[in-house]
Short mmCIF file of all heavy atoms in Angstrom, two decimals:
data_model
loop_
_atom_site.label_atom_id
_atom_site.label_comp_id
_atom_site.label_asym_id
_atom_site.label_seq_id
_atom_site.Cartn_x
_atom_site.Cartn_y
_atom_site.Cartn_z
N LEU A 210 30.80 -67.18 -37.26
CA LEU A 210 31.09 -68.54 -37.69
C LEU A 210 32.12 -68.46 -38.80
O LEU A 210 31.87 -67.91 -39.87
CB LEU A 210 29.82 -69.24 -38.19
CG LEU A 210 28.66 -69.30 -37.19
CD1 LEU A 210 27.43 -69.94 -37.83
CD2 LEU A 210 29.06 -70.04 -35.93
N SER A 211 33.30 -69.00 -38.53
CA SER A 211 34.42 -68.90 -39.47
C SER A 211 34.25 -69.84 -40.65
O SER A 211 33.86 -71.00 -40.48
CB SER A 211 35.73 -69.23 -38.76
OG SER A 211 35.97 -68.30 -37.74
N ARG A 212 34.52 -69.30 -41.84
CA ARG A 212 34.52 -70.08 -43.08
C ARG A 212 33.27 -70.96 -43.16
O ARG A 212 33.33 -72.15 -43.43
CB ARG A 212 35.80 -70.88 -43.19
CG ARG A 212 37.04 -69.98 -43.15
CD ARG A 212 38.35 -70.71 -43.31
NE ARG A 212 38.46 -71.40 -44.57
CZ ARG A 212 38.77 -70.83 -45.74
NH1 ARG A 212 39.02 -69.55 -45.79
NH2 ARG A 212 38.86 -71.53 -46.84
N TYR A 213 32.11 -70.36 -42.96
CA TYR A 213 30.85 -71.08 -42.80
C TYR A 213 30.17 -71.40 -44.13
O TYR A 213 29.54 -72.43 -44.27
CB TYR A 213 29.93 -70.26 -41.91
CG TYR A 213 28.65 -70.96 -41.54
CD1 TYR A 213 28.65 -71.95 -40.56
CD2 TYR A 213 27.45 -70.63 -42.15
CE1 TYR A 213 27.48 -72.59 -40.19
CE2 TYR A 213 26.27 -71.27 -41.79
CZ TYR A 213 26.29 -72.25 -40.82
OH TYR A 213 25.14 -72.88 -40.46
N MET A 214 30.24 -70.47 -45.09
CA MET A 214 29.56 -70.72 -46.36
C MET A 214 30.23 -69.95 -47.48
O MET A 214 30.96 -68.99 -47.25
CB MET A 214 28.07 -70.40 -46.28
CG MET A 214 27.74 -68.97 -46.00
SD MET A 214 25.98 -68.68 -45.55
CE MET A 214 25.10 -69.42 -46.89
N THR A 215 29.94 -70.40 -48.70
CA THR A 215 30.52 -69.78 -49.88
C THR A 215 29.51 -68.80 -50.48
O THR A 215 28.32 -69.11 -50.60
CB THR A 215 30.87 -70.86 -50.92
OG1 THR A 215 31.78 -71.78 -50.33
CG2 THR A 215 31.52 -70.25 -52.15
N PHE A 216 30.01 -67.63 -50.84
CA PHE A 216 29.22 -66.61 -51.51
C PHE A 216 29.84 -66.44 -52.89
O PHE A 216 30.90 -65.82 -53.03
CB PHE A 216 29.28 -65.28 -50.74
CG PHE A 216 28.67 -65.37 -49.37
CD1 PHE A 216 29.39 -65.84 -48.28
CD2 PHE A 216 27.36 -64.97 -49.16
CE1 PHE A 216 28.83 -65.91 -47.02
CE2 PHE A 216 26.78 -65.04 -47.90
CZ PHE A 216 27.52 -65.51 -46.83
N PRO A 217 29.25 -67.03 -53.93
CA PRO A 217 29.91 -67.08 -55.25
C PRO A 217 30.27 -65.72 -55.83
O PRO A 217 31.20 -65.63 -56.63
CB PRO A 217 28.90 -67.81 -56.13
CG PRO A 217 27.61 -67.75 -55.41
CD PRO A 217 27.92 -67.62 -53.96
N ASN A 218 29.60 -64.67 -55.41
CA ASN A 218 29.91 -63.34 -55.94
C ASN A 218 31.10 -62.70 -55.24
O ASN A 218 31.55 -61.62 -55.64
CB ASN A 218 28.67 -62.45 -55.85
CG ASN A 218 27.52 -63.06 -56.61
OD1 ASN A 218 27.60 -63.28 -57.80
ND2 ASN A 218 26.44 -63.39 -55.91
N LEU A 219 31.61 -63.37 -54.21
CA LEU A 219 32.78 -62.88 -53.47
C LEU A 219 34.01 -63.76 -53.68
O LEU A 219 35.06 -63.47 -53.14
CB LEU A 219 32.46 -62.79 -51.98
CG LEU A 219 31.32 -61.86 -51.60
CD1 LEU A 219 31.08 -61.92 -50.09
CD2 LEU A 219 31.59 -60.44 -52.03
N GLY A 220 33.86 -64.84 -54.41
CA GLY A 220 34.98 -65.74 -54.66
C GLY A 220 34.66 -67.18 -54.28
O GLY A 220 33.56 -67.48 -53.81
N ALA A 221 35.64 -68.05 -54.47
CA ALA A 221 35.42 -69.48 -54.27
C ALA A 221 35.65 -69.94 -52.84
O ALA A 221 35.24 -71.03 -52.46
CB ALA A 221 36.34 -70.27 -55.21
N GLU A 222 36.31 -69.13 -52.02
CA GLU A 222 36.61 -69.55 -50.65
C GLU A 222 35.42 -69.33 -49.72
O GLU A 222 34.67 -68.38 -49.89
CB GLU A 222 37.81 -68.76 -50.11
CG GLU A 222 39.11 -69.12 -50.80
CD GLU A 222 40.30 -68.48 -50.11
OE1 GLU A 222 40.17 -67.97 -48.99
OE2 GLU A 222 41.37 -68.49 -50.73
N ALA A 223 35.30 -70.21 -48.74
CA ALA A 223 34.25 -70.05 -47.73
C ALA A 223 34.49 -68.76 -46.95
O ALA A 223 35.64 -68.37 -46.71
CB ALA A 223 34.24 -71.25 -46.80
N GLN A 224 33.42 -68.12 -46.57
CA GLN A 224 33.48 -66.83 -45.89
C GLN A 224 32.90 -66.92 -44.48
O GLN A 224 32.14 -67.83 -44.16
CB GLN A 224 32.65 -65.81 -46.69
CG GLN A 224 33.05 -65.66 -48.14
CD GLN A 224 34.26 -64.76 -48.30
OE1 GLN A 224 34.34 -63.72 -47.68
NE2 GLN A 224 35.20 -65.18 -49.13
N ASP A 225 33.25 -65.94 -43.65
CA ASP A 225 32.71 -65.85 -42.30
C ASP A 225 31.33 -65.20 -42.33
O ASP A 225 31.05 -64.34 -43.17
CB ASP A 225 33.62 -65.00 -41.41
CG ASP A 225 34.97 -65.65 -41.14
OD1 ASP A 225 35.23 -66.75 -41.66
OD2 ASP A 225 35.76 -65.03 -40.40
N VAL A 226 30.47 -65.62 -41.40
CA VAL A 226 29.14 -65.05 -41.26
C VAL A 226 28.87 -64.74 -39.79
O VAL A 226 29.51 -65.28 -38.89
CB VAL A 226 28.03 -66.00 -41.78
CG1 VAL A 226 28.21 -66.31 -43.26
CG2 VAL A 226 27.96 -67.29 -40.96
N TRP A 227 27.90 -63.86 -39.58
CA TRP A 227 27.34 -63.64 -38.25
C TRP A 227 26.11 -64.53 -38.12
O TRP A 227 25.32 -64.63 -39.04
CB TRP A 227 26.91 -62.19 -38.04
CG TRP A 227 27.98 -61.16 -38.06
CD1 TRP A 227 28.11 -60.13 -38.95
CD2 TRP A 227 29.08 -61.04 -37.16
NE1 TRP A 227 29.21 -59.38 -38.65
CE2 TRP A 227 29.83 -59.91 -37.55
CE3 TRP A 227 29.50 -61.78 -36.05
CZ2 TRP A 227 30.98 -59.50 -36.88
CZ3 TRP A 227 30.65 -61.37 -35.38
CH2 TRP A 227 31.36 -60.25 -35.79
N MET A 228 25.97 -65.15 -36.96
CA MET A 228 24.75 -65.90 -36.63
C MET A 228 23.87 -65.02 -35.76
O MET A 228 24.33 -64.50 -34.75
CB MET A 228 25.09 -67.20 -35.88
CG MET A 228 23.87 -67.95 -35.33
SD MET A 228 22.73 -68.57 -36.58
CE MET A 228 23.64 -70.01 -37.16
N TYR A 229 22.63 -64.85 -36.20
CA TYR A 229 21.62 -64.12 -35.43
C TYR A 229 20.51 -65.09 -35.06
O TYR A 229 20.21 -66.01 -35.83
CB TYR A 229 21.02 -62.99 -36.26
CG TYR A 229 21.88 -61.76 -36.31
CD1 TYR A 229 22.95 -61.68 -37.17
CD2 TYR A 229 21.62 -60.68 -35.47
CE1 TYR A 229 23.76 -60.54 -37.21
CE2 TYR A 229 22.42 -59.55 -35.50
CZ TYR A 229 23.48 -59.48 -36.36
OH TYR A 229 24.27 -58.37 -36.40
N ALA A 230 19.89 -64.89 -33.87
CA ALA A 230 18.80 -65.78 -33.47
C ALA A 230 17.91 -65.13 -32.44
O ALA A 230 18.29 -64.18 -31.75
CB ALA A 230 19.36 -67.09 -32.92
N VAL A 231 16.72 -65.68 -32.35
CA VAL A 231 15.76 -65.38 -31.29
C VAL A 231 15.16 -66.72 -30.91
O VAL A 231 14.98 -67.60 -31.76
CB VAL A 231 14.70 -64.35 -31.74
CG1 VAL A 231 13.87 -64.87 -32.90
CG2 VAL A 231 13.81 -63.91 -30.59
N ALA A 232 14.88 -66.90 -29.60
CA ALA A 232 14.37 -68.20 -29.14
C ALA A 232 13.20 -68.00 -28.18
O ALA A 232 13.02 -66.91 -27.62
CB ALA A 232 15.48 -68.99 -28.45
N ILE A 233 12.44 -69.07 -27.99
CA ILE A 233 11.36 -69.06 -27.02
C ILE A 233 11.99 -69.08 -25.64
O ILE A 233 12.81 -69.94 -25.33
CB ILE A 233 10.44 -70.29 -27.20
CG1 ILE A 233 9.75 -70.27 -28.56
CG2 ILE A 233 9.43 -70.38 -26.07
CD1 ILE A 233 8.71 -69.21 -28.72
N GLY A 234 11.62 -68.12 -24.80
CA GLY A 234 12.14 -68.06 -23.43
C GLY A 234 11.35 -68.95 -22.50
O GLY A 234 10.38 -69.60 -22.88
N ALA A 235 11.75 -68.95 -21.24
CA ALA A 235 11.11 -69.78 -20.23
C ALA A 235 9.63 -69.45 -20.08
O ALA A 235 8.82 -70.31 -19.78
CB ALA A 235 11.83 -69.63 -18.89
N GLY A 236 9.25 -68.19 -20.33
CA GLY A 236 7.86 -67.79 -20.20
C GLY A 236 7.03 -68.08 -21.44
O GLY A 236 5.86 -67.74 -21.50
N GLY A 237 7.64 -68.68 -22.46
CA GLY A 237 6.92 -69.02 -23.67
C GLY A 237 6.91 -67.94 -24.73
O GLY A 237 6.32 -68.11 -25.78
N SER A 238 7.58 -66.81 -24.47
CA SER A 238 7.63 -65.75 -25.47
C SER A 238 9.01 -65.71 -26.12
O SER A 238 10.00 -66.15 -25.54
CB SER A 238 7.30 -64.40 -24.84
OG SER A 238 8.25 -64.08 -23.85
N ALA A 239 9.05 -65.16 -27.33
CA ALA A 239 10.31 -65.06 -28.06
C ALA A 239 11.22 -64.06 -27.37
O ALA A 239 10.79 -62.98 -26.98
CB ALA A 239 10.06 -64.66 -29.50
N GLN A 240 12.50 -64.44 -27.23
CA GLN A 240 13.47 -63.57 -26.59
C GLN A 240 14.78 -63.65 -27.33
O GLN A 240 15.21 -64.74 -27.71
CB GLN A 240 13.69 -64.00 -25.14
CG GLN A 240 12.41 -63.99 -24.35
CD GLN A 240 12.67 -63.90 -22.87
OE1 GLN A 240 13.79 -63.87 -22.42
NE2 GLN A 240 11.60 -63.83 -22.11
N PRO A 241 15.45 -62.49 -27.51
CA PRO A 241 16.78 -62.54 -28.12
C PRO A 241 17.70 -63.37 -27.25
O PRO A 241 17.55 -63.41 -26.03
CB PRO A 241 17.23 -61.08 -28.15
CG PRO A 241 15.98 -60.28 -27.97
CD PRO A 241 15.03 -61.14 -27.19
N LEU A 242 18.65 -64.04 -27.86
CA LEU A 242 19.62 -64.83 -27.12
C LEU A 242 20.82 -63.98 -26.77
O LEU A 242 21.22 -63.10 -27.52
CB LEU A 242 20.07 -66.03 -27.95
CG LEU A 242 18.97 -67.04 -28.28
CD1 LEU A 242 19.51 -68.12 -29.19
CD2 LEU A 242 18.40 -67.64 -27.03
N SER A 243 21.42 -64.27 -25.64
CA SER A 243 22.66 -63.60 -25.27
C SER A 243 23.77 -64.15 -26.15
O SER A 243 23.62 -65.19 -26.78
CB SER A 243 22.98 -63.87 -23.80
OG SER A 243 23.39 -65.21 -23.65
N PRO A 244 24.93 -63.48 -26.20
CA PRO A 244 26.02 -64.02 -27.01
C PRO A 244 26.44 -65.42 -26.60
O PRO A 244 26.98 -66.17 -27.38
CB PRO A 244 27.15 -63.02 -26.78
CG PRO A 244 26.46 -61.74 -26.41
CD PRO A 244 25.24 -62.18 -25.65
#
């Protein structure tokens, strides 16, 4: 995610982050999401 949030210890400009997630799958169990 480009320019998603500010990290004050790295400067005043918004920085890029990685988004990580896990979701409930069709079977009702948690499953990692594909890209």
